[in-house]
Amino acid sequence: MSHGTSSHSSPVPRRALYVAVVGPEAATPSESQTAQRLGRLLAQQHCIVICGGLGGVMEAVCRGAQSEGGITVGLLPGSSRATGNDFLSVALPTGLGELRNGLVVRSVDAVIVVGGSWGTLSEMALAVRTGKPTIVIGGWEVRVPGQSEHSELRMASSAEDAVGMMFSMVGPETATDDAV
């Protein structure tokens, strides 16, 4: 692989933000609509969408991102790429079950939570624990004992609000070295 100057442009911006969108596989219609809008907005901003790769919120965010030509990556719980949703650019079977949630969180610059399930709560907790900017739309409301608010955790009212918050927390040019 050459590391020199190339005459062709890469489809992925060098400093693209990697954003996890997490939420329940058994999503409500409202959660799916929000996730699809979120996917479109993230793709328009050239963000790489990372998710658990299955249905519900994960499928909806990928559908939205793909509709805008975005890149979507699914870290699947099982051992087969065939279990991934139809809107993944890249399907990566991990064979880790729910333990893949840690990989989803560690591979990104920010996490956006849509709705809530127990798996979603684990991803949200891992994100806050590791200092990732975390924005919640219509999901879990967590209060840290002894604290009125947590600096990495914000509540948003819409997909547009969440993307704006994410950029104010991360910045458009501050992708982590681990995520590029």
Side-chain angles (χ1 to χ4, degrees):
M1 172 179 234
S2 171
H3 293 286
T5 305
S6 173
S7 61
H8 70 285
S9 64
S10 171
V12 179
R14 174 94 177 110
R15 300 299 296 174
L17 289 178
Y18 286 55
V19 180
V21 177
V22 301
E25 186 171 12
T28 67
S30 175
E31 291 166 344
S32 292
Q33 183 179 28
T34 297
Q36 188 168 341
R37 176 75 181 136
L38 190 55
R40 286 194 301 269
L41 292 169
L42 291 170
Q44 290 168 0
Q45 295 297 318
H46 308 288
C47 296
I48 309 301
V49 174
I50 311 293
C51 68
L54 301 177
V57 164
M58 299 167 278
E59 182 173 346
V61 73
C62 291
R63 182 184 308 114
Q66 287 269 316
S67 74
E68 294 290 331
I71 298 171
T72 59
V73 178
L75 298 174
L76 302 165
S79 300
S80 171
R81 283 188 289 279
T83 62
N85 72 62
D86 291 337
F87 302 96
L88 290 170
S89 305
V90 179
L92 300 172
T94 67
L96 295 173
E98 290 80 17
L99 294 176
R100 80 172 185 315
N101 293 356
L103 295 176
V104 169
V105 169
R106 281 295 192 169
S107 66
V108 299
D109 300 300
V111 176
I112 300 177
V113 179
V114 178
S117 66
W118 291 112
T120 306
L121 180 60
S122 74
E123 289 164 313
M124 191 169 114
L126 289 167
V128 172
R129 174 79 176 166
T130 57
K132 302 287 178 161
T134 306
I135 299 101
V136 180
I137 308 170
W140 291 97
E141 293 185 33
V142 177
R143 307 235 188 288
V144 179
Q147 295 181 10
S148 60
E149 68 178 60
H150 198 284
S151 63
E152 286 84 20
L153 183 61
R154 304 270 169 79
M155 304 300 286
S157 60
S158 67
E160 290 80 3
D161 192 26
V163 171
M165 283 182 185
M166 180 198 67
F167 278 116
S168 74
M169 294 169 80
V170 177
E173 299 296 327
T174 58
T176 62
D177 289 338
D178 294 340
V180 281

